[in-house]
Amino acid sequence: MAFELMPLPFAKDSLGPTISARTLEHHHGKHHATYVTKLNEFVAGTPLEKQDLESIIKATANKSGKERKIFNNAAQVWNHDFFWNSLAPNGGSTPPEPLKKRIEAAFDSVDNFRDKFVEAAVGQFGSGWAWLVAKDGKLEIATTHDADSPLITEGHALWTVDVWEHAYYLDHQQNRAGFVKAVVEKLANWQFVGKRLDEVDR
Ligand code: FE
């Protein structure tokens, strides 16, 4: 069974002006779709073909050659699926309890979390991802390079923002800070984060 492009869990024109329909056509319809196509090409006829995405990512992490290519595409498929699930039209605002308390325990306030998240995302040099993760029961902010994610680093992913240029250039040009700030304030899908936290707390 080949991997398939996950449909966007929201309407293409519902995230503007932070993320326009045009950006989503390129980002989901071209970039994300290409990772899926390449992943299927690279795993075809290998023992990885029948494994699930997370197993493939873990099996090919920190390798070279063809395994590196499989890792990059598999990890980018997982990261993008996670990113789309992290977004919601009319998101942002105040996280529901008990998530809000956990954010306050880790970052003093939701506003401070937002500032620290933007700061970390801007500090990620070049392409990568900014994450909210749960590590040893505590919430932390992390960043990863290129296709890397908490799946192969540390902690459990709770929320993410794609900070590759293709995520924001059409709508925000070089203004990564403006993009990330708008995503945190207006599009964060706190229901999804709360559900993830429930799962990792178990
Ligand atoms: Fe992307």
Side-chain angles (χ1 to χ4, degrees):
M1 176 73 186
F3 291 99
E4 286 177 12
L5 178 63
M6 184 187 94
L8 289 174
F10 40 74
K12 224 183 276 176
D13 59 359
S14 64
L15 304 185
T18 304
I19 302 177
S20 65
R22 187 161 166 253
T23 286
L24 287 170
E25 274 156 25
H26 286 268
H27 197 176
H28 177 258
K30 303 267 169 38
H31 290 279
H32 187 179
T34 302
Y35 295 130
V36 176
T37 307
K38 293 270 177 210
L39 170 63
N40 284 326
E41 266 173 46
F42 290 140
V43 296
T46 77
L48 294 170
E49 194 177 25
K50 297 206 165 50
Q51 294 191 22
D52 65 36
L53 202 52
E54 290 197 21
S55 308
I56 293 176
I57 291 165
K58 285 172 183 165
T60 55
N62 304 311
K63 304 263 168 73
S64 56
K66 190 177 177 188
E67 283 175 315
R68 182 81 209 160
K69 290 182 183 176
I70 293 172
F71 170 80
N72 283 337
N73 288 282
Q76 283 293 76
V77 171
W78 191 91
N79 292 351
H80 282 87
D81 288 354
F82 202 89
F83 180 45
W84 306 133
N85 284 325
S86 292
L87 305 175
N90 307 312
S93 71
T94 308
E97 301 290 356
L99 175 60
K100 182 164 172 276
K101 280 213 170 56
R102 296 286 289 271
I103 290 176
E104 287 167 349
F107 307 102
D108 296 329
S109 69
V110 175
D111 281 347
N112 196 43
F113 158 71
R114 290 193 179 107
D115 291 347
K116 291 272 180 266
F117 192 90
V118 172
E119 196 181 300
V122 170
Q124 166 56 39
F125 184 76
S127 296
W129 298 79
W131 305 86
L132 175 66
V133 301
K135 201 176 133 197
D136 305 324
K138 278 179 64 186
L139 303 201
E140 290 181 13
I141 292 166
T143 59
T144 58
H145 192 59
D146 287 343
D148 289 353
S149 77
L151 278 185
I152 61 149
T153 56
E154 285 185 307
H156 299 277
L158 300 177
W159 192 66
T160 196
V161 178
D162 186 342
V163 295
W164 285 53
E165 255 183 20
H166 67 222
Y168 57 90
Y169 204 82
L170 287 176
D171 299 321
H172 304 266
Q173 289 74 53
Q174 80 296 342
N175 186 9
R176 186 190 286 182
F179 162 69
V180 177
K181 190 171 185 295
V183 172
V184 181
E185 287 175 356
K186 298 174 187 164
L187 302 178
N189 185 348
W190 293 125
Q191 266 64 39
F192 174 71
V193 181
K195 219 174 80 207
R196 288 287 300 179
L197 190 58
D198 264 5
E199 286 164 15
V200 305
D201 273 349
R202 253 174 240 149

